Amino acid sequence: MAKKSFYIIDGHAHIYRAYFAPFRDLSSPSGEPVKATYVFTQLLLNLVQQRKPDYLAMVIDSGDETVFRKKIDPQYKANRQARPEDFAPQERRILQLVRDAGVPMFVAPGFEADDLIATMARRLRDQDFDIYLVSKDKDLRQLLNDCTRLYDVQSDEVFDAEAMRKKLGYGPEQAVEVQTLMGDSTDNVQGIPGVGEKTAAKLVLKYGTVDRIYEHLDELTPKLRENFVQHAEKLKISRQLVTLKNDVEMAFDPQACRYQGLDDAALRRHLRELGFDSLLRRLGDAPEADRPPAATPLPMRPAVPNIEQGLFGPMDPAAQTGEPAPQTRPAPSTCADCDYRLVDTEEKLAALVEALRRQKKIAFDTETDALGAMSAGLIGMSFSFLPGSGCYVPLRGPAGSTHLPMARVLDALAPILADASIGKVGHNLKYDLLVLRRAGVELRGVVMDTMVAAFLIDSSRFTFGIDRLALDVLNFKKIPTADLIGSGRNQIGMDRIPLERVATYAAEDADITWRLSEHLSPKLDEIPELRKLHDELETPLIEVLAEMEFHGVAIDSDVLRGQSEAMSQDIDELKAKILRSADCDFNPDSPKQLADVLFNRLKLKPGKRTKTGFSTDVQVLERLALDHECPRLILAYRSLVKLKNTYLDALPGFVNPRTHRVHTNFNQTGAATGRLSSSDPNLQNIPIRSDQGRRIRLAFVPDDPAVNVLLTADYSQIELRILAHFTREPALVRAFDQDQDIHRAVAAEVFKVSPDDVTREQRGHAKTINFGIIYGVTAFGLAQRIEGMTTAVAQELIDAYNKRFPGIKLFMDQCVQAAQADGYVRTILGRRRPITEINSRIVAMRNAAERMAINSVVQGSAADLIKRAMLDVHRRIRRDPLRSRMLIQVHDELVFETPRERVEEESRIIQEEMIRAGAELGVSIPLKVDVGWGGNWEEGK
C-alpha cells in the first residue's frame, strides 16, 4: 500500500514570505491591510488542491524572546528589525483563518517552529508516512531522509536528500557541520569569516566534521587557519544554535491531523469579509445554507465564455505572484502509451514522406543545438498528424549513432515543408522558420502557431510555453528538457543524447503541438473575430517577424564604446555631487547605505519598508526629490548607470559573429495589449526621452552607409487619433482633420483661449493630460507628472478636460462598463483582453482594472494597426518588389534599410501602405506617418 502523505506547514516562514511577496498592497472593504493574508490564503488553497494531503498541520513560532537559544547566546536574532506596523494584524488574521479552516496548529513556548517540525518528523518517521515539510528554510535540510522531504508550494517542487546531494554537494548528515561553519547572518549566528556554503561543504566533505578540521589546521591556508583558531569557542555555540531539537515535549497526535477538507463555511466567511472574490470563485458554488442572504448579494465578475472558462479553466488569481495554477483534475497523463518512432533508415523515411504527402495538415518541430535561432544548428525534425503518435528524423547524433545523412533527409523532406497545400502547425514557429531558412529549407503553409493561438484566446496567462499549456489544456505532463540534457554546468548538447531518447522527447513535442492545435482551433471558431484576427493578421505576421529577425540590424560598436567612456565620466561626476550633497562618503549603489544616508543622516521621511529596511526605489526617490537635492542626483545617477550597463556596454555582445549584425527576437505573446515586445536585446525599451537615451540610436547604422540609409516611418500621435476615432469628440476630430497641433488645440479648448494665445506651459499641460487620459490617469498621477502641480489643481484640470470633451469621458465609462459586463474589453479588430479584477471589492485593485480597461482598448487598437501596416508593407515589398528591408518595429515606428538611390520613392510607398492600413481597419480619423532617413537611426528621426 502507498504511504500516507503528511504535510507540515512552516507557518511563520510562509506568513513572512506572503508579506514580502512581489504583490501589490491590498486593503479589505473595511480598510484592513490584507496583502499577506491574500497571498497566504492562496498558498494554502494551492497546497491542498495541488497535493491533496492525507494529513495536514501547521507549526508556528512562540516568539523570539522566549526561545531557548536566547539562553545559549543572548545575541541570537538580536539583529532582527522591528516588524512593520501592518504585519501584526495580518499575522493575527492569517492564524485565525487557518484555525477556523480546520488546520491543526502547534506551538510550544520556548521553541521555534523548526524544533517542532523536527520533533514531529522524528515521531512520524516510523509510522509509515511520507513527510513533506512545506518550507524552503535551509535549516530544515538536516531533517531530510528516505521519508522526509522539503516541498515548495510556489514551484510545486519536492527537494529530497538525493536532490540535496546533487545540488549542494553534501547531504543531510553533513548539514549541521556546514551550517556551523558558515553561520547564519539572518539569525545572527557566527560562523568562520570568509567561509560560505561552498567552502564549508568542501571542508566537511574532506575532513568529515568541524572537530576533524581542527585536527588538520596545518593543511589550511594561513588566513583560514587564523580564522579557525580565533573562532574556535564561538563555533561550539554556533553548533548548538543551528542544531534542531527533535525531542520537544508537545501534545502531538498524528490522527488528529487527518485532512478531511477545509471548513468551507468558515473559510468563505473570511473570504467574503476580506473581499477576496477571486479566491471565493476558486471554492466553487457555496452550499445553499452557506450562501449570503439574497438581499445583500456579493458583486461577482460574470463568467466570460471562451476566455475564462472555455480553454484554461477559471482565471488563475495566482498569476500575480507566479504561483502555479491549482490542479483539481486527475493525475496528468504521460507519453508512456504513445506511439513515437525513430526514422533512421531509407525505408522509414520513404514511408514518412508518403504519409505526410497524404495529409491536409501536419504538426512540425525542430531540434537544435542552441536557443538563439540565428545561432542554432539543425539536429533533427519531428512530425505528427494523429494524437498520441509522432516520429523523429535525426540529422545529427552522438558518435557511433546510425542515422541518415543530413543532405539526404533535407532533400526528401524539403518539398513537403515547402508545399503550401499541406498546412503546418507548430509552437513558436518563427524559431523553426529561421532555423530551416539557415539550413536552406523553406517552410510554407503555416496555418497555426499554438503559442500565438493560446495567447489570442487568453492573453492574461502567465506563460505560453508548451510544457505548461500541455499540462493546463491537455492535462499532459511532458518530458522536461532538463531530464534529457541536464541543466547548468551539467547541461550537454542534444546531439550527444542517444537517438532513442531524443526521438521520444522530440516526437512528443510534435504530438502535443498537434493536440493543442486540435483543441485551440474550435475555440477560435467560437469567436469569429478572434478566428479572423488569427488567420488574417497574427499568423501571417509570423513570416514578417521571421524575415526581420533574419536580416537583423548593424550597429557601430565604436560609437557605443565612445558613448560608454563619456558616460563613465558623467557618472563619476554625478557620484561626486551625490557625496557632496550628502556631506559624507558612501556607496550610492548600496540600497542599505543609501537608506542610512537619506533617512538617518539627512533625516528625510521614509516611505514603504521592505524585508531589509526602508525602500529607496524610484517612487520613493521621486517623492524625496521634491525636498532635497541628493535623491534628485541619485535618480539621475541610476538612470545613467542603467543606460550604460543595459545598452552601451551590453549591445556589442549581441552582435552575431557570423552576420556581424544584431538579431533581436520579436515576441507576439509578450504584452497583453497585443503590442510586440523584443528581447536579446530589448529594442522596445531604448529610452528616447533623454538626450543620452536618444544618442544610443546613433549606433544603429546601415551595413554599407555609402549605399544604404536607415529609413524610419512613424505614426504621428496614433493613440490620440485612435481615441478620436472611438469617441468622435468634435474638437479632436476637427483638429486632426485640419492637421492642427493637437496639444495646442486641446489647450485652447481647456483653458478657453485662442490657439495663438496658448502658452508653452498650457500646451505642456494639455500634452500630459492627452497622453495620460489614454492610461486612465488620476489627479494624483497627473500631479506627479507635472512638476509643481498639486493634486487639487490636477483635478481641476481633469474636470475642465472632461467638461470640454464629454465624449472622451463617455468612452472611458463605456470601456469600464464593457469590462464589468463581459469580463474583457475588445480592440478595433476584436482582440480581447480579460480584465480580471474589474468587479473587485478592493478599491485599489478595481481602480487599476478600470485604468487597464481604457488603456487596453486604445493601445491594443494601435497594436492592431501597426501589425496590419507591417503585414501590408511586407507584402508590398514582395509584390513590387521593393529593395527596402524592414528591420525594427518599436511601438508605432518601423525602421528599414533602404538604398539611397531609392529612398524617396520607397519612403512614399511605405507611407502610403501605413496610411492605407488605417482605412482597412476602419479608422475614421486621418492618419499621419512621419518619414525620415539618414546614416543612422537617430538621423532618420
Side-chain angles (χ1 to χ4, degrees), residues 526-593:
E526 291 173 7
I527 310 171
E529 284 180 321
L530 286 188
R531 168 55 78 182
K532 185 176 181 180
L533 186 65
H534 173 273
D535 291 352
E536 298 183 9
L537 183 63
E538 294 290 351
T539 300
L541 190 66
I542 295 170
E543 179 186 334
V544 181
L545 298 177
E547 183 84 7
M548 294 166 66
E549 290 183 23
F550 182 82
H551 291 311
V553 62
I555 65 170
D556 189 332
S557 296
D558 290 337
V559 170
L560 293 172
R561 247 188 312 273
Q563 291 184 17
S564 179
E565 292 171 1
M567 194 167 288
S568 292
Q569 296 179 10
D570 294 339
I571 289 171
D572 289 342
E573 291 175 5
L574 268 175
K575 186 173 182 179
K577 289 181 180 179
I578 290 168
L579 300 185
R580 286 196 299 271
S581 176
D583 194 25
C584 67
D585 189 17
F586 75 102
N587 179 8
D589 295 310
S590 166
K592 183 177 181 181
Q593 292 185 37

Side-chain angles (χ1 to χ4, degrees), residues 250-299:
M250 55 183 294
F252 171 52
D253 177 10
Q255 294 308 312
C257 302
R258 182 184 292 275
Y259 178 70
Q260 297 176 319
L262 301 177
D263 187 319
D264 188 77
L267 187 56
R268 288 179 187 275
R269 283 195 298 273
H270 279 284
L271 300 187
R272 290 190 192 110
E273 182 180 347
L274 297 170
F276 292 171
D277 295 344
S278 56
L279 297 187
L280 272 168
R281 286 193 288 274
R282 286 181 63 173
L283 300 182
D285 293 333
E288 193 67 37
D290 294 327
R291 292 179 183 170
T296 56
L298 291 175

Side-chain angles (χ1 to χ4, degrees), residues 386-411:
L386 288 173
S389 66
C391 56
Y392 174 64
V393 190
L395 303 175
R396 290 156 52 192
S401 62
T402 302
H403 55 83
L404 296 173
M406 181 180 294
R408 171 70 189 102
V409 173
L410 294 182
D411 184 61

Side-chain angles (χ1 to χ4, degrees), residues 380-392:
M381 294 180 281
S382 54
F383 301 87
S384 178
F385 46 82
L386 288 173
S389 66
C391 56
Y392 174 64

Side-chain angles (χ1 to χ4, degrees), residues 211-482:
D211 292 339
R212 289 280 294 165
I213 296 173
Y214 275 95
E215 296 175 8
H216 296 271
L217 288 180
D218 58 329
E219 299 176 17
L220 306 182
T221 64
K223 182 62 177 176
L224 193 56
R225 181 167 59 249
E226 179 185 348
N227 286 339
F228 265 88
V229 171
Q230 290 181 356
H231 292 81
E233 291 304 314
K234 290 183 179 179
L235 284 192
K236 295 178 182 178
I237 296 175
S238 296
R239 176 187 292 280
Q240 296 179 65
L241 296 177
V242 302
T243 302
L244 301 182
K245 288 187 67 67
N246 63 4
D247 57 354
V248 177
E249 293 186 10
M250 55 183 294
F252 171 52
D253 177 10
Q255 294 308 312
C257 302
R258 182 184 292 275
Y259 178 70
Q260 297 176 319
L262 301 177
D263 187 319
D264 188 77
L267 187 56
R268 288 179 187 275
R269 283 195 298 273
H270 279 284
L271 300 187
R272 290 190 192 110
E273 182 180 347
L274 297 170
F276 292 171
D277 295 344
S278 56
L279 297 187
L280 272 168
R281 286 193 288 274
R282 286 181 63 173
L283 300 182
D285 293 333
E288 193 67 37
D290 294 327
R291 292 179 183 170
T296 56
L298 291 175
M300 299 290 285
R301 179 161 50 91
V304 183
N306 310 308
I307 293 292
E308 240 190 296
Q309 300 173 343
L311 173 60
F312 302 116
M315 279 288 187
D316 178 13
Q320 307 263 3
T321 54
E323 298 283 0
Q327 298 176 358
T328 58
R329 296 174 289 182
S333 57
T334 67
C335 66
D337 298 324
C338 296
D339 180 16
Y340 297 153
R341 303 185 181 186
L342 176 65
V343 177
D344 56 356
T345 67
E346 285 285 356
E347 292 76 17
K348 293 177 182 177
L349 179 62
L352 172 63
V353 170
E354 182 59 32
L356 293 175
R357 280 189 181 133
R358 294 196 299 267
Q359 307 308 314
K360 292 183 178 180
K361 184 176 72 173
I362 60 175
F364 165 76
D365 190 38
T366 60
E367 297 302 331
T368 64
D369 57 11
L371 293 176
M374 292 302 294
S375 303
L378 193 57
I379 290 176
M381 294 180 281
S382 54
F383 301 87
S384 178
F385 46 82
L386 288 173
S389 66
C391 56
Y392 174 64
V393 190
L395 303 175
R396 290 156 52 192
S401 62
T402 302
H403 55 83
L404 296 173
M406 181 180 294
R408 171 70 189 102
V409 173
L410 294 182
D411 184 61
L413 291 174
I416 301 289
L417 296 171
D419 188 347
S421 68
I422 301 174
K424 315 298 190 308
V425 298
H427 194 84
N428 192 17
L429 260 174
K430 176 163 59 65
Y431 179 90
D432 303 304
L433 274 165
L434 288 167
V435 170
L436 288 176
R437 181 169 178 174
R438 291 187 56 240
V441 177
E442 184 180 13
L443 181 66
R444 298 175 62 224
V446 172
V447 295
M448 177 179 284
D449 183 327
T450 49
M451 181 174 74
V452 174
F455 172 76
L456 287 176
I457 293 170
D458 182 4
S459 63
S460 68
R461 277 190 57 83
F462 193 60
T463 176
F464 296 89
I466 190 170
D467 288 36
R468 189 71 211 191
L469 283 174
L471 191 61
D472 291 349
V473 177
L474 307 174
N475 201 26
F476 187 102
K477 179 74 172 177
K478 283 185 76 277
I479 301 169
T481 306

